[in-house]
């Protein structure tokens, strides 16, 4: 089949690498892609996705990022007759609006934090009075993971809310898990659970980012977690969306906290997570194009069970100077080839570009996701960091503790 990937970040590079491994994929295209994706796919400039899909005669279109999904690109493509992996705009609201997502979760009866939607300072004060700090305040819009503050400082909570419609939530205490589920609107197939690192600094300090690293699988998580969550949390949400006449077909990503009372939902996303995709897909043995096509065609129930390779994967994000605030772009990226000579390591491109002289330069906040697979987390981690040490970007920064506690076995579940 001929597959078109829409997007150009690290997630789309990881998806493209996995798609390129599927023998049923005869031709792979990406729009706009990035210099890394150009190694496995033919790149087409960003443009009207329907026109691009026609140009390449796509048999399957995979939409990576949330913005085109929320904007209805999947609907446009389907209306033009294409087979699309990615939800409609109506279904992608589960990510686009936190208040809508909460409404769906309540209707589906799944465990999530109590919440208050606040539009006025008075409503905000009532909500902040009702919760026990830390305060969780979320902008009710897409914000690339940066619209949320978790703080004990009431002034900071108020300042974050100023000028926005916000959702205030009860704080959920426990390790976080990202679970990706492929769904066709009826059947739910979970992938491996992963963990990402949202804060910019070692030890989970500093502001939230889109994610500074990730690993999978989770040796500390309860056995059967993915299947349990798929059955008791994701399936009811998928059924609720179908019942509303807006079935969710695509990738439903559950962000969970494993609390004393069990897994509770922090948020849903309508697409693969970035950088978790970089560690989940390298471990998937089953051909992914076939899986995504089955979901897109509403035939997931007939798909054989997924198989996974043994071992573990770790990805470490190298970010540009200033990220997550105001990242500087245009800095030369050195050392990628040396990094890729490290065993079982791939340098995934997130925010990269070629300048006029053909040099690889930074083009975004998160620049690279250096990804290694190993027999276990400790081995994968060692390779990933050996490779990160080869990379040189002026002012570039990364966390040094990705998967550290998991590899050493010091993550404990509450209770
Ligand atoms: P979100 O964009 O909703 O995923 O929030 C970003 C991050 O903020 C999450 O990954 C958590 O680390 C944190 N967070 C959000 N909501 C809560 C909550 N109710 N309790 C604890 N932490 C939260
Ligand atoms: N890594 C978090 C996200 O993709 O939303």
């Amino acid at each position: 089949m001929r597959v078109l990937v829409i997007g150009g970040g690290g997630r789309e590079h990881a998806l493209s690498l996995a798609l390129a491994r599927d023998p049923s994929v005869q031709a792979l295209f990406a729009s706009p892609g990035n210099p890394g994706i150009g190694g496995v796919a033919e790149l087409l400039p960003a443009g009207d996705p329907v026109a691009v899909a026609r140009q390449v005669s796509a048999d399957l279109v995979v939409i990576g990022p949330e913005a085109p999904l929320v904007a209805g690109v999947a609907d446009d493509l389907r209306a033009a007759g294409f087979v699309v992996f990615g939800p409609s705009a109506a279904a992608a609201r589960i990510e686009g609006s936190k208040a809508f997502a909460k409404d769906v979760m309540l209707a589906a009866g799944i465990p999530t934090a109590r919440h208050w939607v606040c539009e006025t300072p008075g409503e905000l004060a009532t909500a902040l009075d009702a919760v026990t700090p830390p305060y969780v305040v979320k902008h009710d819009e897409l914000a690339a993971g940066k619209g949320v503050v978790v703080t004990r400082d009431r002034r900071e909570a108020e300042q974050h809310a100023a000028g926005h419609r916000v959702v205030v939530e009860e704080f959920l205490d426990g390790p976080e898990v990202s679970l990706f589920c492929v769904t066709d609107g009826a059947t739910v197939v979970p992938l491996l659970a992963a963990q990402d690192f949202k804060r910019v600094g070692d030890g989970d300090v500093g502001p939230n980012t889109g994610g500074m690293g990730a690993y999978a699988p989770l040796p500390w998580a309860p056995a059967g977690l993915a299947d349990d969550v798929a059955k008791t949390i994701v399936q009811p949400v998928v059924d609720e969306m179908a019942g509303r006449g807006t079935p969710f077909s695509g990738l439903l990503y559950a962000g969970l906290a494993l609390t004393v009372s069990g897994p509770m939902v922090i948020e849903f996303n309508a697409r693969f997570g970035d950088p978790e995709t970089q560690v989940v897909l390298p471990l998937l043995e089953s051909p992914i194009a076939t899986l995504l096509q089955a979901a897109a065609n509403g035939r997931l129930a007939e798909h054989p069970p997924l198989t996974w390779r043994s071992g573990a994967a770790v990805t470490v994000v190298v970010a540009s100077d200033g990220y997550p605030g105001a990242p500087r772009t245009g800095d030369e990226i050195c050392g990628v080839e040396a990094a890729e000579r490290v065993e079982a390591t791939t340098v995934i491109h997130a925010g990269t570009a070629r300048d006029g002289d053909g040099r690889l330069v930074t083009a975004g906040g998160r620049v690279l996701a250096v990804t290694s697979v190993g027999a276990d987390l400790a081995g994968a981690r060692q390779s990933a960091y050996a490779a990160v040490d080869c990379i040189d970007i002026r002012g570039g920064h990364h966390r040094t503790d990705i998967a550290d506690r998991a590899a050493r076995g010091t993550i404990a579940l509450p209770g």
Side-chain angles (χ1 to χ4, degrees), residues 11 196 198 210-211 253 267 269 271-276 366:
R11 160 187 47 218
D196 87 341
K198 291 248 165 58
Y253 159 156
E267 64 166 349
N269 293 316
R271 37 83 196 167
F272 283 94
D274 191 341
E276 297 97 315
R366 292 186 293 172

Side-chain angles (χ1 to χ4, degrees), residues 184-337:
D184 58 5
T187 300
V188 174
V189 174
L191 306 187
L192 278 188
Q195 188 173 56
D196 87 341
F197 292 73
K198 291 248 165 58
R199 302 286 188 130
V200 72
D202 283 356
D204 295 326
V205 298
N208 268 331
T209 69
M212 294 298 290
Y215 66 91
L218 309 178
W220 49 269
L225 176 74
D227 288 333
D228 287 350
V229 169
K231 200 164 140 198
T232 62
I233 292 182
V234 178
Q235 185 73 57
V237 165
V238 165
D239 294 344
E240 172 64 24
M241 293 295 286
R244 290 177 181 224
T246 53
F248 187 102
S249 165
L251 196 292
L252 189 53
Y253 159 156
L256 308 157
L258 301 193
T259 72
V260 268
S261 359
M264 294 182 73
V265 176
I266 291 177
E267 64 166 349
F268 281 107
N269 293 316
R271 37 83 196 167
F272 283 94
D274 191 341
E276 297 97 315
T277 304
Q278 285 85 313
V279 291
V280 172
L281 296 190
L283 300 174
L284 179 65
E285 269 177 353
S286 308
I288 191 172
T290 316
L291 173 70
L292 303 187
Q293 189 184 41
N297 283 327
R299 310 184 68 155
L300 209 47
E302 299 158 31
H303 193 274
L306 300 183
T307 57
W308 299 91
R309 56 159 287 174
S310 61
V314 172
T315 191
V316 179
V317 169
V318 181
S320 40
D321 196 11
Y323 181 76
R328 190 179 60 226
T329 57
D331 287 316
E332 186 168 8
I333 303 166
C334 298
V336 170
E337 284 170 18

Side-chain angles (χ1 to χ4, degrees), residues 20-35:
R21 285 199 306 269
D22 183 333
S24 74
V25 176
Q26 281 120 17
L28 185 60
F29 305 90
S31 170
N34 66 35

